Amino acid sequence: MATVALTAENFAEKVSGEGIVLVDFWASWCGPCRSFAPVYERASENHPDITFAKVDTEAEQLLASEFEIRSIPTVMAIRDGIMVFAQPGALPESALESLISQIRALDMDEVRRQVAANAS
């Protein structure tokens, strides 16, 4: 599966539904981003049920600012419209696969309860 480009215009639509969305915040001038890109692309091919998306932080500076991206690459995971993970740094393939497994294993009812408790 190819990655999806996220922009300020389509971000909310792409991440608000059911399922898992992984987001790679990157820039073309970033060496670690270029090194991480093939790892991310392979994972997208191995997990066709997950949406793999990319945000070009140069073109989408408002999105990068909204999510307080200070270091790239940054990987963010959103499941069922809730951000469940965000971390800067290029992940090795094994760490990305582990992250995907952990996200799949989340009890989303419990996550929603925690989000509601933190909001009150």
Side-chain angles (χ1 to χ4, degrees), residues 21-103:
V21 180
L22 291 180
V23 183
D24 173 21
F25 288 86
W26 68 284
S28 60
W29 51 262
C30 165
C33 297
R34 289 194 307 271
S35 297
F36 179 60
V39 170
Y40 195 70
E41 188 65 33
R42 277 192 300 277
S44 77
E45 293 165 3
N46 293 334
H47 301 280
D49 60 316
I50 295 175
T51 300
F52 285 77
K54 294 177 84 71
V55 174
D56 179 345
T57 57
E58 289 295 305
E60 298 297 331
Q61 293 181 13
L62 287 176
L63 269 180
S65 176
E66 180 179 338
F67 289 99
E68 300 178 0
I69 303 301
R70 302 281 179 254
S71 179
I72 53 175
T74 289
V75 176
M76 179 184 296
I78 301 162
R79 181 164 168 200
D80 299 344
I82 301 170
M83 183 174 46
V84 295
F85 176 87
Q87 176 179 304
L91 297 173
E93 198 154 352
S94 60
L96 183 57
E97 289 297 325
S98 175
L99 173 62
I100 290 168
S101 295
Q102 292 174 56
I103 294 166

